Amino acid sequence: MESGKCTALNISDESLCQDAATSLNGLFCQFHSNQCQGTGLYKGYKRRNARLDSLKPPKYLVESSTAVANQDFADVDSEETLREVHDYLLLRYRLLTRVIGARKLHHSRFFSMNMDYGHQHFLDNLQSQKFITIRALERLERRTGEVLFKQQEWFEWAKERQEEEENARENESKKVKREAALFKRYWNQFKARLQKRKKKEEVKKQEEYLEQAFKENMSLEEQDEASWDPIEDVVEDERVGYVDMIDLFLMIKEGTLEEDDTKETGKNASVLKKGKSRKPTAKESNDKKTVETKVEMRKRLRTGSEYRNGASLFVRGTINNPLETLKKVPPLPGDEIDRLLEEISEVKHLLFCRLLLSYAALLPAAIRASSVEEFLNDPEVKDADLRDLCLKMEDPKPQEVRDACADLVCGEGEDLEVGFPQEESQDVGSTKKKKSFWPSLPDKKWMPKRAKEAQKRDQHRLDTMAGGACTTEVPYVNFGVFDDEEQYRGTRMRVRLCGRVIYNYPSEKAMSRGGWLHFCIIAKDSNLSDAIQLCRTWDEFFELSILALYQYFPAASWVEWAADTMNTQLVTLGFIPYGDVRIVSTLTTTQNREMRRARGAFEARNFVAAHVKRNDQTSRRLIRYLSMQTNRVLLLVRDATDGRILIEPSKDEQWLLREKSGVGRTADWIVRKEIGDDFYEELEKHRNWHLGFSEYYDLIVWDREAGQSFGNVFSTILEMLFKAHRCRKPADSYNVAAPMLKSLTRDDSSHRTREIKTGEEVKSIFDEIHDEGTRFRFSGPGMKPTEEAPLHLLYGDDDMLEDQILFPEEYLGEDNYITPGQARNALDQLEKDPRPEFLRFIHDLDTDEELSEEEAAELEYPEEFESSGDEISTQSGDDSSEGKEMSLSTSNAEQCTHDKDMSFPFKKSPLLLLCDELKIPVGHELAVAMCTELGLTKIEQPTEPMTEAEKVAFISIYNQYVSDSGTSLKDLDPWEEEERMKKEIRIFMDRDKAKAFKDAWHRADLEPGSRHKYFESTTLVNSIEKFDKQRCSVTYIIPFAFLRLKPLEHRRVIRDMRRAFSMMCLFFPHAHGFLVSEHGNVFQDHNILNQAHRATMPPDRRRHDSNKTMPRSFWRDWDDIRRNKGTYPAEWNLAVRPILARLYQEGIIRNSYSLNLQGQATAAKEPGRDLDMYIDFRNTLENIESMELETPPSKENLFGCARRFAAANEDARFAFLRTWSSPHFYPLMIGHDRRDALAFADGLGRAWEWKFIPKDMIYSEWSMHHNLNLRMRPYRRLFGDSIVIRRDSVLVMAADEDELLKLASAVTYALQTDTWRLEVDLWRSFVNVNFDFLQKLDDVWIN
């Protein structure tokens, strides 16, 4: 500082005064000396300070025991009291603002070189009082709002926004720093006002003015000097600065950017009192993007924006990337720019209103005001609040901008009710869950942290709406509820602020493309990823993606997402990738033959991670198709709504990177990266965008084999997308985007994509795609680029036939869509959860007993089972299970034993009368069990007496029971009881599995009319069984006694024998009473019973021969194709694929992960039949040693035995019983470890494996023949030479009808009992016939 110079700073620009110091203290010039002590600045400060000290609080604050800093005014309900307190606090705030401002301004201009710590302490105290006053004002305004607007439904919405703002509030120091930076960025806009202020001060400083004023009248001078108070200018300029800045943000003014070509203001020009402000450098300007003015926005839209680095990846000359848009985004025409700028200005006004909703202190003024200008001129609006609004308006959150854009689209045209109507109460927990004995199996899940937090917020909101209560201070707004389709429904709510209406629902609703256009222009520094995160539904997200692909948005950063040609094709088809790896072919060393046995072998797989729409049939088809391509790719599907993994391959196939550290084939692979939680986290970390909703499936697709080019996984996905969308020609692949493309056209002059106006006759982009001149080029691994679409890529007739089976609901018009990964059939369900339904077991119900919904709802677990969950207690010492044996016979025995008042018919039944004769106790377990099975406790009339044969049989059964057991079930020791219980459970589980197997087998039976025939035969047998039970027939005990069965061995023994007897007695005189009754007369002429007529109608089935016995000539066509390396015939696919689809749909086959496929599905014609499926397993013949099994006898051997028996017995009768089997497989399960040996490929190369023995398998006849021998082995000595087993059939020979009924029933029982998987096929069996009838049967029946 130079000696003798004034030490004061000019108030306008903080520059050092250059005049000489003439004051007594030698510090100031005359002008600044007067300003320091004698002007209005100093006197005004003293006057306001004195007024502040003398200010008296109102009565409420004086009497309240709570300090102002802690006061929430919750006990004030009087509007008058609130107004009185508000006036006091507002006046105190204004005085504090001016006192602090004047003190700081005075000290900084006149004593800037002095370090006065007392002065700073005084200022800090005043700042603290100001802060307390501001917060008290805000709480008072909030309470005032509650009192004034508590009847308005929208006020809860406002409270929520205010609470959010309160939680995110910054401290004052941060706001001051942000404010200084804000004014630096908009320095040019305030230069004019700066110059005006400086001129005012310089006029005051002129020597002539001061000298003339001194000579005329000192008192007048003092009066004038006192009237000029700089702090009022500072405060006024501060507020005007905020208002001007808001006007700039709202585009009320055009806004000018003046060049700083003058040096009048110096390098340190100051806009306001907020520190030293100067023109920012270019580097500083780029640190924070400024809000565009109308001029800047108009210029940007008129010239278009250039692409950034990476635009060279674009493939030009395509529908979505024409050659004319090579370097930059096309510009907009002038008239459209004018319209958009007007709309954007309105959007910014709506945004301003939305921001006001967060400030309790501003809400009353905003509601009173009819415009933004009126609100800004309201004296109750504090400068600090305007400052906060400026900071918010300069950098609003993307969500706030989106909501404002949605408000504009909604408009005021709808006559909406303010608030929500009273909704009916909903019992959220009223749905009664199905009780299960087992604890539910844990689902494999993964969700990103971001989704978990969003889910918690959504759940909290739903809980609040459902319960009507909230645990937080401010409740959430009731935005409506979500129905089962996850569609938003609820009454729209709105509030009017500053003359404009804003709504509560835009954040939960999809926004139109016009709204996104406004968002794109306003948020000029955003990209498509920012917009994607704000989408609320999949349809909105997909439309946004398509519009961006076709350059609808005038921003280069929104177009570059489509730079990847592969991704562009996938996105157009609704498959949205968000991560991939494409370079593994260069990393995999095992593709090199020389490196395969070397140390350090490395293998890697490409993958693609993407999203597809949830609850969409096309997505379901895509997922099903990809899951069937196990020969090419592997698939994992995750439901984003709850994180459940719906589909995934085996753990061994989930690796992406692995390394072999040893030498040779014996070295172990070490997995370095695999699909799992760590992989998901890494994928989530590196992705560029996220979805703001959960209405999608997350798919990860990776190569089946290591080292493949990325084209393999890409072409597979693309092919399956074409199939899923059922594209029969290339142009059909754009149909999914047709709703958007039909409304868009490309401008002829600017080549910009725009929306077609109403009534405008122009060619849409969709029309261009389907134009005859449009050409499509195809390329892929191993093929040259061509304009002809590969046949395997397009949807064909074979695909349609397959879809009719895989997706029957689409063709039936049903809505019962199956969720991906959900069990499609009983076998899938059994594999997912093999545990039986123990509720039936506990209540003594068989697995195939059907119950009504009412009956099933009444079933409950006993109390002792409610908490067990994992195991059944069988300890005899347990009080809870004592005396509660879980077998049918025991429970019924106890019931009958303790029932002293049994009904008369039950006591007088023939069976109990016989027990009386034999001196068997009435409550004996055997008698009770048989009576219960016959339903004797419910009969209303006495039954017919027992025949001598039946009596003999019962005596034999009783003697067998006494000799085998000799002990009552009640006398079993704990170990025996536990073993018996285990056996009962094992039997129940086998029955449960058998039920699932049979259901799947018969659904997969492809013989024409087979399912209807099975239904008819089952109905017939059920009818006669019920009839015999009603008339208490016990004839079935004759074959029961013949087999020397133990009647209480398990709960199914008596039932199985009765079932077997009912099936066979249909062909004997025993059925006459049934057929003439009202229950059976409808079956008198049924084809099952009319065996002579049935024999003339042989079944339409393919031959049963395995590859071992199939003649070589049968494979001639397939051998020619292999030899000549021909293509798989299309007509074969038409025949084979529907068959495989049916077998797959019912769980008979499944996709195989084996790379060593042993068979090939082919098609062939037999005489008189159409093409059918046959699998060539001949390659495995050399690897299979001759099976050491009994060879099935030939037809000649079979008939030879029958001929000799007929010759020896004049009245010989025969029963030819054939077990049920499908035309393509036997009902014999293949072990999990042996299924790879029967893996085969279809015409498309897809890999499959059988769960049950296919008839084409080598030695399949031997396997079936061996299984029947095992079934009959326990009873073979009883049958002797009366039966002959041949493959899947049994010939029963008897001397007369009575003997045949006994033997045939016994054979049927032996075949069908434990494990209950085999069945006698009555449609292909002939019972109670003579030898001549057998001889005349067509070979189809026998072979």
Side-chain angles (χ1 to χ4, degrees), residues 850-890:
E850 298 295 336
L851 298 177
S852 65
E853 294 183 1
E854 292 77 10
E855 292 173 330
E858 293 177 358
L859 298 182
E860 294 184 355
Y861 286 102
E863 294 181 359
E864 58 270 20
F865 289 95
E866 287 292 338
S867 59
S868 58
D870 297 328
E871 59 184 355
I872 298 178
S873 175
T874 57
Q875 299 298 325
S876 59
D878 189 352
D879 295 337
S880 62
S881 60
E882 184 177 359
K884 293 185 179 288
E885 291 85 353
M886 301 312 298
S887 71
L888 173 68
S889 55
T890 306

Side-chain angles (χ1 to χ4, degrees), residues 901-913 922 931 934-944 1030 1032:
D901 189 21
M902 291 185 295
S903 61
F904 173 79
F906 180 72
K907 290 182 177 180
K908 298 301 182 181
S909 66
L911 191 59
L912 287 185
L913 291 175
V922 173
C931 288
L934 290 173
L936 294 180
T937 57
K938 299 179 181 179
I939 63 173
E940 298 178 357
Q941 298 178 356
T943 57
E944 299 177 359
Q1030 287 179 346
C1032 296

